Amino acid sequence: MKLSILELQTRIAEYTADRTALQIKLAGLPQDHPDYLPTAAAIRTAEVARQELRGELARREWLTDPRLPGSPYDRRAQRQEVHAC
């Protein structure tokens, strides 16, 4: 299922909030607490998912925004190609 840009932004915000809540929980745990390692792993999982979504969002924005250099819709690049011919 392909997510819309808004859905990607929403999920990134959710993962960021989850990661922050887990970091707060982890800060209050001693390292020998049974929840310490699972919480640290959950933080890493949330961060990896967030970074993957951010990458997808950046790719989609690049593909659709004509203001971004090199975008398939970048009119400046298209004009330069025309003048180069």
Side-chain angles (χ1 to χ4, degrees), residues 25-68:
K25 177 183 176 182
L26 187 66
L29 294 176
Q31 288 188 353
D32 61 347
H33 192 280
D35 286 343
Y36 187 87
L37 289 178
T39 302
I43 290 170
R44 183 68 188 138
T45 300
E47 180 59 21
V48 168
R50 190 176 81 87
Q51 290 298 328
E52 288 174 358
L53 290 172
R54 285 178 55 101
E56 176 62 18
L57 178 62
R59 186 185 74 77
R60 293 253 196 95
E61 288 174 340
W62 177 80
L63 284 173
T64 59
D65 192 341
R67 296 170 297 171
L68 297 175

